Every structure is written in structure tokens, then in C-alpha cells.
Amino acid sequence: MPTPHISITDKELVAKTVLMPGDPLRAKMIAETFLEDVVQINTVRNMFGYTGTYKGKKVTVMGSGMGMPSIGIYSYELFKFYDVENIIRVGSCGAYTKDLNLYDVILVDDAYSESSYAKTMGLTSAKTLKANRTLNNRALKAAERLNIPVTTGRIHSSDVFYNLKGSVHEERFEKNGCIAVEMESFALFANAKALGKKATCLLTVSDSLVTHEATTAEERQNSFSRMMEIALEVARKS
């Protein structure tokens, strides 16, 4: 310590459970809105990280950046060098089915990807990796206590945002059973599997590839409080 991407020199500044949104400004918003006694613990590359308490429980929230290489670096370093046990990704996603509406919350069962991330790191050639069952059970119980509807299912972790072949959501939904798309969870789950840690992902629908409805960047930063409340309750119980 510090690592090439995280400037923390005292691992005691990092909680055992980390909430990890993609956007570092969303990390800042979560810390300022939900945590008490907040201390900023990382600013390298403006990938903001904060530690505070939630209902008396120490919690860290830190951005991951966009895409699997980015979350792959940050989550690996947190797991490997800062003794983090649990990472809960809280992010946005695009719906692959008309049954999902804007702002619906998804708890990820597993992530399908065409990515070579897990194979390249020497872990597995599998195309689907699971979220941690223990964390997911805690999330479901938290959602029930909070009276927040949650959809569970498989998501598509894509390496590509702009696809020259056009939309692939019909194939991924029909062939692979993916109900939504994002760009990070597969790498997070790979790192957790490789290092014997726990990881899961809560997503809020920000747009739909079926209906073409969409939210703004500001709405994505400020209006996804329900999944954050669930994630914080999981952190409190972990």
C-alpha cells in the first residue's frame, strides 16, 4: 500500500463492505446523503472513495469507473490489498424486456458476458458468473423490510457500449436469458471468485432498449436511492 490506483496507506480506513457505483460523483452523493462521520479516503484519478458509518456500521463507498477493466482494477485492489470482504455494485442498466420500467430495481443472480476478462486473468472460460448467494439473500430481506419491489435475474455485462451490429438485446434476452445490460458485474464477480470474497450487484433501470425511454445523467446520479438503501442495509448486516 498504497496501490497504483488507490492512495490509502492505512487499510483500517476501508470498511469490510464497499458499495461501488460506477460514477465517482455518485459515490460522493451516497456518502454525503446516507453516511455519518464521512472521511474522503481516495482521490487518485478523481476516483473518489469515502468511509463513514450507516446506522453505526462502518461502510466505504467508492467509484469503479466504467467497464470491466476499470472495476476489475479497483475491486481487485480492494479485495487483495485492503482486506475488503464484500463489494456491492450499485449501478444503472438498460432493460432488455418490456416488463422492466424506468427506475425498477434489479438484484443480479448472475452475469453473462462475451468478455475474455475471466479467461485472460487465468480464472475460467465460463461465460456466466454468479453473484454471492449470502449477500443476495440479505438484499432480498432488506428489500422486503423496506417495501421496495425487486426483480431478480441474469444480466448482460457488455464490453461494448456502441455496437456496430446494432442492438443485440433481442438475442441476449431470448438466447441467454439476460433481462438487462450493464458493463461491470462480470469482472467484479470474477475477482470475488478468484480471491475467495463476496460480491453482488444492485441495478436501477436507467433506459430501455425496448421502449427507448431514458433518464438523464443528473437523474441517474441523484434518483437511484432505493437500491442504495437496500445495499446499505446489506452492508449493515454484513
Side-chain angles (χ1 to χ4, degrees):
M1 296 182 296
T3 66
H5 310 94
I6 301 175
S7 60
I8 304 163
T9 57
D10 180 3
K11 66 175 66 177
E12 294 301 316
L13 291 173
V14 185
K16 295 301 181 184
T17 300
V18 176
L19 272 61
M20 186 160 269
D23 185 350
L25 291 179
R26 196 178 301 162
K28 182 175 186 288
M29 184 275 293
I30 295 170
E32 292 177 346
T33 304
F34 295 100
L35 302 185
E36 297 180 342
D37 303 319
V38 175
V39 177
Q40 187 167 19
I41 59 173
N42 192 68
T43 59
V44 175
R45 295 174 180 252
N46 286 329
M47 194 57 72
F48 304 137
Y50 306 85
T51 295
T53 59
Y54 176 76
K55 297 182 179 180
K57 180 76 173 188
K58 184 177 176 181
V59 177
T60 294
V61 55
M62 181 173 167
S64 72
M66 290 188 289
M68 282 181 261
S70 187
I71 196 173
I73 289 170
Y74 289 108
S75 62
Y76 189 95
E77 291 182 2
L78 289 169
F79 280 144
K80 179 72 173 179
F81 303 112
Y82 291 98
D83 297 339
V84 169
E85 293 296 327
N86 315 294
I87 294 180
I88 306 166
R89 166 163 154 70
V90 283
S92 58
C93 67
Y96 275 180
T97 167
K98 61 180 176 58
D99 295 329
L100 288 171
N101 300 309
L102 294 186
Y103 302 109
D104 280 358
V105 178
I106 297 172
L107 175 64
V108 175
D109 281 332
D110 54 24
Y112 166 84
S113 186
E114 311 93 333
S115 171
S116 62
Y117 181 93
K119 182 178 180 180
T120 300
M121 77 180 297
L123 177 66
T124 178
S125 59
K127 293 296 184 183
T128 304
L129 294 174
K130 294 182 179 295
N132 180 265
R133 185 173 301 229
T134 298
L135 294 182
N136 277 18
N137 286 339
R138 290 174 183 160
L140 289 172
K141 290 177 182 177
E144 184 176 3
R145 290 195 305 271
L146 295 165
N147 196 29
I148 298 174
V150 169
T151 298
T152 60
R154 172 175 296 170
I155 55 91
H156 175 204
S157 291
S158 179
D159 267 336
V160 177
F161 190 88
Y162 299 104
N163 195 316
L164 296 180
K165 297 183 293 184
S167 176
V168 298
H169 71 274
E170 297 96 341
E171 180 180 358
R172 291 290 163 258
F173 177 66
E174 295 173 5
K175 182 178 178 180
N176 303 107
C178 302
I179 62 173
V181 61
E182 50 87 81
M183 301 185 73
E184 288 83 23
S185 293
F186 184 81
L188 174 61
F189 296 170
N191 284 348
K193 181 179 177 66
L195 297 171
K197 306 287 186 167
K198 298 183 182 72
T200 191
C201 177
L202 285 155
L203 299 168
T204 298
V205 177
S206 61
D207 58 282
S208 172
L209 281 81
V210 181
T211 66
H212 306 293
E213 296 175 289
T215 58
T216 67
E218 184 177 1
E219 287 170 335
R220 289 193 294 275
Q221 181 177 318
N222 296 319
S223 302
F224 289 1
S225 61
R226 294 190 303 167
M227 71 173 170
M228 296 166 192
E229 292 172 14
I230 296 171
L232 286 163
E233 286 298 316
V234 174
R236 188 168 70 91
K237 296 291 185 178
S238 299

